[in-house]
Amino acid sequence: MNQHRALSEDTVAGRLARFAASAAPPPAAEAVSRRLLLDICGLAFAARQEPYTTAALASAAGTGPCTAIGHTQGLNLYDAALVNGTAAHGEDYDDTFEGGPVHAGVVVVPAALALAQHRGLDGAAVMRAIAIGAELMSRLSLVAPQAIHKAGFHPTAVIGAMAAAASAGAAIGLDRARLANALGIAGSLASGIIEYLADGSWTKRLHPGAAAQAGLRAALLAEGGFVGPASVFEGDHGFFRAFAPSKTANFAPLLDGLGEDWIMPTIAFKPYACGTMTQPFIDCAIALAGQGVRAEEIVSLVCKVGEGTVHRLWEPLAAKQAVPNGYAAKFSTPFCMAVGFLDGAAGLVQFTDAQTRRGDVRALAAKIFYEIDADDEYPRNFTGHLRATLTDGSVREIRQPHMRGGAREPLSDAELLAKFNANIAYGGGDAAAAAALHAAIDAIAAGGKVQLGESA
């Protein structure tokens, strides 16, 4: 095979390579990239002492110049990307793109930070890489909506590898031909199944870090001259045929307006530490409690839901009403609603293993059911609904028309900063640690040095 073949910009990879090579993120994209950097770094710190982060750190092969956030141990770029991506996604409290859904920040931020420290890149390169990677990841999630999940794969994992490859390639200045090769290579490194739903095991936590690692590897292989298939996206044996076989890929949402109409500024930042589509339902449950309804007065709560959410968040229903551990609880709408109703919150402390053994939570979760709403807007819009039947025979109905934290009702800068500070405290950091990490983030966002070690 001729490793110096001419790039065909008629392929999807060719067009994405052209975008990655020349993209100039607009102010709105730059602003969201700064928010992603803040949120992801705070989340990685929050989970620095969790067993899954400790296990990821233990897997590191040697040392290097790259930071595992909240730790003094220096890692090589692949291990740093893996550890930070795993830690930041560990509590499922990170950003999401409505329409996918995919978690872009938790893939592209760890990849960009590790690459910058490995190559001595400045903050400007990091911020541009974050914007490019988040834009491509968001757009790629629209090519075959719901089909990747339906096939048993995690969209963040498989799409993330592709976005990270383009993002990393852009950061190190690959030309268009090598960027297209990076995408072609990443298609063979992408992976991540969703069987964690069966028992609340840890592999979902691993997926973003593994995707970041795969994207970095693909970009550096392409830089060295390795060749990947030009038709990686649209080919007969390509990405979407493999990971989304139930739908014909529609590349219009990916390619139309690419580089002109940026969609990543609509990325949502979560107010609750659990699965994305559960969040509007938690708002409904908290609103019901706010009306003075007591748990013992509830006969049943029935929720109208989008069909595409059922297999991950509602079924098998008996298992979702009595989850085995705190991680499984994050992907159980009955648990999330019950704990939200009772505690008025659904933060990190609501999803420990001990919380899942609470009798009051289990009793209320057992009263929560669903019915499929054919008119539900999922995945274009994440809504919530409940219909509560009470012991006196009355019925209360509450709707949440969108996800708080998303484009329709974004978290304010003050709310996101409060989340960051709370995450540092949860990870055992004091005010000085929060200030040091925040200052390091500000320096990166301003185009300065990429140095995060002072947060340890």
Side-chain angles (χ1 to χ4, degrees), residues 150-387:
K150 185 175 181 179
F153 295 103
H154 186 196
T156 294
V158 297
I159 293 173
M162 313 305 286
S167 173
I172 59 176
L174 295 188
D175 60 27
R176 294 179 185 178
R178 282 179 168 78
L179 278 164
N181 278 325
L183 289 165
I185 297 163
S188 286
L189 301 179
S191 64
I193 60 173
I194 60 174
E195 187 58 20
Y196 59 84
L197 290 168
D199 55 12
S201 48
W202 295 356
T203 49
K204 183 178 189 288
R205 291 168 157 145
L206 179 69
H207 289 168
Q213 189 180 66
L216 289 169
R217 180 73 73 182
L220 296 186
L221 281 167
E223 183 183 38
F226 206 95
V227 176
S231 56
V232 61
F233 291 108
E234 68 272 36
D236 289 342
H237 307 288
F239 182 90
F240 286 100
R241 289 287 184 92
F243 292 118
S246 66
K247 279 191 176 179
T248 300
N250 175 15
F251 293 106
L254 170 63
L255 300 174
D256 289 355
L258 181 62
E260 299 173 0
D261 302 320
W262 288 65
I263 65 172
M264 61 80 72
T266 67
I267 283 174
F269 292 84
K270 289 183 179 180
Y272 303 125
C274 50
T276 304
M277 283 75 70
T278 68
Q279 311 233 343
F281 293 92
I282 296 170
D283 281 333
C284 292
I286 291 175
L288 181 65
Q291 294 180 3
V293 174
R294 301 189 307 274
E296 57 269 25
E297 296 178 288
I298 297 172
V299 175
S300 67
L301 295 176
V302 179
C303 303
K304 291 183 177 181
V305 306
E307 184 174 8
T309 69
V310 170
H311 74 109
R312 302 195 306 283
L313 303 175
W314 288 98
E315 289 291 353
L317 184 58
K320 295 297 185 181
Q321 292 171 329
V323 293
N325 54 54
Y327 193 58
K330 292 174 179 287
F331 311 105
S332 159
T333 308
F335 178 92
C336 292
M337 292 180 69
V339 79
F341 178 94
L342 292 163
D343 289 7
L348 294 170
V349 298
Q350 271 72 44
F351 292 96
T352 64
D353 288 352
Q355 292 281 352
T356 67
R357 295 189 289 270
R358 284 173 52 183
D360 57 345
V361 174
R362 284 186 170 245
L364 182 53
K367 301 177 183 180
I368 300 176
F369 304 90
Y370 74 92
E371 59 186 32
I372 293 173
D373 179 5
D375 296 323
D376 190 278
E377 296 179 275
Y378 177 82
R380 297 186 308 277
N381 182 30
F382 302 159
T383 62
H385 165 270
L386 66 78
R387 184 174 66 252

Side-chain angles (χ1 to χ4, degrees), residues 37 40-41 65-67 69 77 80-81 84 107-121 123 126-127 129-130 216 440-441 444 450-452:
L37 181 62
I40 296 306
C41 287
C66 306
T67 302
I69 295 169
L77 86 160
N84 288 331
V107 176
V108 300
V109 170
L113 290 174
L115 185 59
Q117 292 188 303
H118 176 68
R119 287 290 184 90
L121 305 177
V126 169
M127 301 313 294
I130 292 171
L216 289 169
I441 291 165
I444 294 169
V450 181
Q451 185 172 343
L452 296 165

Side-chain angles (χ1 to χ4, degrees), residues 87-158:
H89 191 55
E91 297 306 315
D92 225 79
Y93 204 4
D94 49 305
D95 62 277
T96 191
F97 173 69
E98 297 175 272
V102 285
H103 305 276
V106 80
V107 176
V108 300
V109 170
L113 290 174
L115 185 59
Q117 292 188 303
H118 176 68
R119 287 290 184 90
L121 305 177
D122 62 16
V126 169
M127 301 313 294
R128 182 172 178 269
I130 292 171
I132 289 171
E135 180 70 8
L136 287 180
M137 198 160 169
S138 299
R139 283 177 171 267
L140 280 163
S141 75
L142 301 176
V143 171
Q146 304 183 58
I148 293 176
H149 268 135
K150 185 175 181 179
F153 295 103
H154 186 196
T156 294
V158 297

